[in-house]
Amino acid sequence: MLIRRLRYWMKSAGRSEALREEMELHLAEKAAELQTDGMTPECARAEARRRFGNVGLKHEESREIWIKRFWSELGQDVRYGCRTMIANKAFSTLAVLLLALGIGANTAIYSLMESILLRSLPVADPESLVVLNWHSRPPQNANKQWVHVVHGLQGIFWPGDKSTLVSGIFPYRAFETLREDNPAFSTLFGYFNGQTKTLAIRGQATSVGAEYVTGDYFRGLGVSPAAGRLISSEDDRPGATPVAVISFATSQNRFGGPPNAIGQPILIDNVPFTVIGVAPPEFFGVDPEAAPDLYLPLHTNVLVDGAGTARLYSDENFYWIEMMGRLRPGVSMAQAQAALAPRFHQWVATTASTDGERANLPALTLNPGAAGLGSLRRRYSKPLYVLLAMVVLILAIVCANIANLLLARAAARRREMAVRLSLGAGRFRLVRQLLTESVMLASLGGALGALFAIWGVRSLTFLLSHGQENFTLHSELNWNVLGVTAALSVVCGLLFGVAPAIQSTRPDVMPALKNGRGGGPRRRAQHVLVVAQIAISFLLLVAAGLFVRTLDKLHSVQLGYARENILLFSLNARQAGHRAPEITTFYANLRKRFESIPGVRSATLSQSSIINAARVGQAIRGTMKIGAVILDGARVMSAGPRFLTTMQIPILTGREIDDRDQPGSPPVAVISERLARTYFGNENPVGRRITLPDEKRDLEIVGVSGNVRYGGLKNEEENAMTVFVAVNQFPPDRVTYALRTAGDPLRYVNSVHEIVREADSRIPVTDVITQAAEIDRTISREVTFAKLCTGFAVLALLIACVGLYGTMSYNVARQIGEIGIRMALGAQRGAVVWMVLRRVLLLAGMGLAISVPAALIGSRLVKSFLFETQPNDPGTLALASVVLLSAAILAGYAPARRASRIDPLAALRHE
Amino acid sequence: MGRKAQKNDSLPGSLDMLILRTLSLRDLHGYGIVQSIQQSSDNELLVEEGSLYPALQRLELNGWIEGVWGVTSNNRRARIYKITAAGRKQLAVETRKYAKLTLAIARVMGAE
């Protein structure tokens, strides 16, 4: 019966075809019969058709019989489901809420994944875009010497397969070489991150992100302007009139709309440009991570970044420009790579000057460019997969829990089902109706979950971006995401509905009709589900434990400098037109004025904050030597007066850098303790010299400081050595000020703005942040993981405990008679409590037995997220087990107590 | 086939019963069923051929008959229908209903 009906539904397409064949045969036979009666073949065929009636219509009618039936039954089921749901309000509400949490969390994480990992660039035909990369072995040989055709670079490397190095930056000549009659690309365009620039419009200066683009950039991407025109090849030549394209948002914020911006004069780092166009609102360049406010023709970097940059165009060993190409129609990426890789190889071989360089030449590779550059993907794909795994586990717990609730309810509905079965209802029909009910529950949960996800996406984006400036994750719910949510809901509904549905429609009608009580298999199913929930919660508990422990370890890291009560902000006076030597006095005077703010204990400046030191270039050129020995692995930090005092880095001997160190006076250095110990042993280094062959200067060591840890908390640079030099003697373009304040540092932000405005209103104050926040930003991922995972674990444990409680309560209710007899025969209350708790512990123990090995294996997957914590950390495992068992006992205690309060007389009478 | 035969529309639903009855004697394909009904009613009943197929689908959906691919007496591939156990039960039900109905009609007609 069941099988036959299933077969019908599966064969619905084939059936329609069979019907047509049957009808054809019928007509043929009829015609043949008429022919034997003496008709001509044509007449016979026509007559047969006439007698049959409208073939198409009859075919439709026959098909409709099936379809109509399906829909009418579905309608019945939905109506019946609504009634059942309303009749069981408490159950339905609980189930829908649980599902909303589970599905909502999944939707939120998925929509983040969709926006980061899957979504295409909002440009024409993104599928035909390819990104050009190269890879080679690491540039340093075994002796740590740099042997590579890349002599200088501006951009990033990232690790590839088999310990290779991958990068997307090329010399300009490589771009020109590949662009010349390219057989694979219809366009090849380049771009170069211009970092932050000072954009002044009618005297109002702000700091904005800029992207230098070649003339074919917009044409290659196939973008049309929101107003005006976009940069073309004419604009990207040396000596062309400086023009700029601005982003849609900038046009709105600064000009009040795209049309108003066209033709307006603007100053970019004090260089006059004219706005010629506005990019469309959805366009954010080629890197989903950064949304530039300004697009400038590549060659204008000579105007903006100084005449020195002109050499970038001719230097074949300086790597800086990134490239994307659009494949010609019909050319595959593999074909393009086969055509271009030899050409690049040929070119790059001519740039190698030694055999060592020739032995490790970069090799060109093409990568899909549809989703833009991969920096965001590289950074977030693994964390997102981990988060996805967690929320999928939560959803699994939710499904198990609801399946359990449904099983319990199936017991209550067993009589109803038995009656319907005995009245002749098909079992498949009943299962279908029960499944319709569970899918309805899941759909409601999914709808509510989508609402929950809107909130979830916002808070997740906030957590992930944690203080990062211009974090541009464009994630929102879209049809793709909602489609996945809907599919997920249906799958969940089927998943948690199918076991209870099959259980409760078991055809052994008679015993159910007689006493209405369930038998053994259902209890077994319930127990399996409870064990599964416990096992999954344990996994999440272990994950939470590991991440919290990691965070704990990170918080206890010794940085070597003060964390609290320090305000950081950056200024770039060079971009407003200040030049050496005036710029040095300008910065020095500002420092004195900041120090005079009431409540500021000390103020200093440096080339960057300590956290960002790794991202800013060294303050000096070339190597450092002490005598004949090369100083290796030391970081040079250009710092102003009172830097050590402000940062509370201890001064061990000598003095720190102060106002005596002026541009004209002998250059000085303060070295860190580790450096002193490494290169001077037990000697006193004060008075010794560090020589700078490339700078043709010597540094006199005037003091020794405590050790400082760079680059935040989890960086491995704990062995870093430091050379502090005077900011006046090695002046950077951009400086970061640090103010040590009394009380909340952010209270002083307004005074800072005022002072800078008075000094030069063209200079924007950027990167305003407290030291504590900047340090925390380096561990934002760990904080996010610890918070989310703890939240997930608590949620999972709570749901599992509700499941356990429900199951135990149900068991106790079923055993009232048995317990009553035991108590009547003299069982103590304690023994009854133990009887119930023993089962709770047994279930929890089984969950643990399954889950501990799984946790040991699974935690290795998150090893890269841990800090000084082993994946199989025994303390964490023990703690998680204790928490789990306590929660289980807590959940089981209420039913156990209820069991022990059973009045034997009442129980026996009830039986 | 000189005179006009009666089309089977006097008793709605009786087509199902006629098909079941025919198939209870032997397995047949669609055209065979039409012929069989026509012959056994001495050409009094003329099945509206187009309506046969929706009826067959309905009967199959209810599980009263079952169609399998086979070969006709003319050696052509066709779906051969056979009656199922449920179909025989249904036939019995319908036969009783029909007997009651005709009896009632006969009484009415006789009383006139």
Side-chain angles (χ1 to χ4, degrees), chain B residues 49-84:
Chain B
E49 291 166 33
S51 310
L52 176 73
Y53 291 91
L56 284 173
Q57 295 292 323
R58 198 163 49 236
L59 292 174
E60 193 174 4
L61 180 68
N62 288 328
W64 293 332
I65 61 172
E66 203 169 32
V68 284
W69 287 106
V71 179
T72 66
S73 47
N74 300 340
N75 243 359
R76 298 191 52 172
R77 194 173 104 99
R79 261 169 88 80
I80 309 287
Y81 291 94
K82 42 171 86 138
I83 191 163
T84 64

Side-chain angles (χ1 to χ4, degrees), chain A residues 160-208:
Chain A
D161 298 337
K162 295 176 214 140
S163 78
T164 57
L165 216 59
V166 187
S167 185
I169 46 177
F170 293 86
Y172 189 72
R173 284 265 187 265
F175 168 65
E176 285 182 323
T177 308
L178 291 174
R179 191 174 52 175
E180 268 165 36
D181 42 60
N182 188 312
F185 295 144
S186 55
T187 21
L188 177 71
F189 54 90
Y191 40 90
F192 166 59
N193 188 347
Q195 310 292 348
T196 52
K197 300 278 177 244
T198 300
L199 168 66
I201 299 170
R202 298 186 202 108
Q204 290 230 327
T206 48
S207 179
V208 297

Side-chain angles (χ1 to χ4, degrees), chain A residues 4-5 8 15 18-19 21-23 25-26 28-30 33 51-52 58 61-62 65-66 69, chain B residues 1 29 31 34-35 49-51 53-54 57-58 60-63 69 72 74 76-79 81:
Chain A
R4 184 176 52 75
R5 281 184 185 244
Y8 276 165
R15 194 175 332 108
L19 194 63
E21 189 181 333
E22 265 186 284
M23 289 180 167
L25 176 69
H26 184 112
E29 292 201 327
K30 183 80 189 175
E33 189 198 314
R51 292 206 192 167
F52 191 88
K58 294 294 169 193
E61 264 175 37
S62 311
I65 285 174
W66 296 86
R69 168 114 171 206
Chain B
M1 287 178 74
H29 68 294
Y31 188 65
V34 175
Q35 279 189 314
E49 291 166 33
S51 310
Y53 291 91
Q57 295 292 323
R58 198 163 49 236
E60 193 174 4
L61 180 68
N62 288 328
W69 287 106
T72 66
N74 300 340
R76 298 191 52 172
R77 194 173 104 99
R79 261 169 88 80
Y81 291 94

